[in-house]
Amino acid sequence: MEIRCIYILPIFVFISISCASLLPPERRVYPKNPVKLPDGMDIHDWMETKKKQFPDRLRNYSPYANSYKMMFYRKQFTKFGSYISCGAYVRQTGKNAVELIEMVSNVNYADYSISQIPKGGELGPMNEKERTEILLPCIEEFLTPPQTKE
């Protein structure tokens, strides 16, 4: 009987962990949508500005005319020495606004400064705490306006 338990326990743990899922889509939407664009900019100008603001930390591509998929790597490490990244689908919703939807976070074991391909990590958010402590601060850092030189 004890031998069976040794084999069953790892299977139970694997099934429990693999059944975790992301928060529902309505909880993976930026709560301050729509995001106002700077005057005179459309989504393409804005994303180009963001690319210049974060040249080594932002990856994006445009799958459709007025939208982008983006992945942003935070500057700060976690206490375990990994990076936090976040991704979102960004689409223009009006002349001067975009919205961020389908947001995800990843505690990433890759070094974004040497590799463009994530090495794997913990996809999230799986719960409200991860949404508040990991995902939203990452998105807020991405949305930080560029610093002007005076």
Side-chain angles (χ1 to χ4, degrees):
M1 183 68 168
E2 285 182 37
I3 295 174
R4 266 193 237 162
C5 290
I6 292 171
Y7 293 112
I8 293 173
L9 183 61
I11 293 169
F12 177 75
V13 170
F14 175 77
I15 290 171
S16 298
I17 292 171
S18 65
C19 290
S21 64
L22 293 173
L23 285 175
E26 64 271 10
R27 297 302 299 152
R28 292 184 286 123
V29 173
Y30 185 58
K32 298 176 187 172
N33 275 337
V35 175
K36 187 177 181 316
L37 295 175
D39 291 337
M41 284 193 178
D42 65 6
I43 191 172
H44 306 294
D45 298 329
W46 184 67
M47 288 303 282
E48 188 60 33
T49 300
K50 287 291 178 191
K51 194 79 168 145
K52 289 176 183 170
Q53 181 181 357
F54 304 112
D56 298 326
R57 299 193 290 136
L58 177 63
R59 314 279 188 261
N60 64 37
Y61 71 95
S62 182
Y64 305 109
N66 287 323
S67 65
Y68 282 84
K69 287 292 280 181
M70 58 73 91
M71 175 159 293
F72 175 75
Y73 294 84
R74 289 197 75 184
K75 195 171 192 172
Q76 117 188 23
F77 283 109
T78 66
K79 58 186 169 190
F80 303 111
S82 55
Y83 288 94
I84 293 175
S85 63
C86 52
Y89 180 67
V90 184
R91 63 182 179 193
Q92 191 152 5
T93 57
K95 187 176 180 182
N96 298 325
V98 295
E99 68 178 0
L100 286 79
I101 61 173
E102 299 177 23
M103 299 184 315
V104 294
S105 58
N106 193 18
V107 178
N108 197 322
Y109 307 122
D111 182 344
Y112 70 84
S113 65
I114 36 183
S115 174
Q116 292 190 14
I117 301 169
K119 301 277 190 233
E122 305 301 324
L123 189 65
M126 299 295 185
N127 55 48
E128 287 297 328
K129 183 178 180 189
E130 290 177 1
R131 178 180 182 268
T132 303
E133 294 179 4
I134 297 173
L135 178 61
L136 292 178
C138 183
I139 294 293
E140 292 287 341
E141 186 176 327
F142 166 73
L143 291 173
T144 303
Q147 301 298 315
T148 56
K149 296 177 185 174
E150 295 181 21

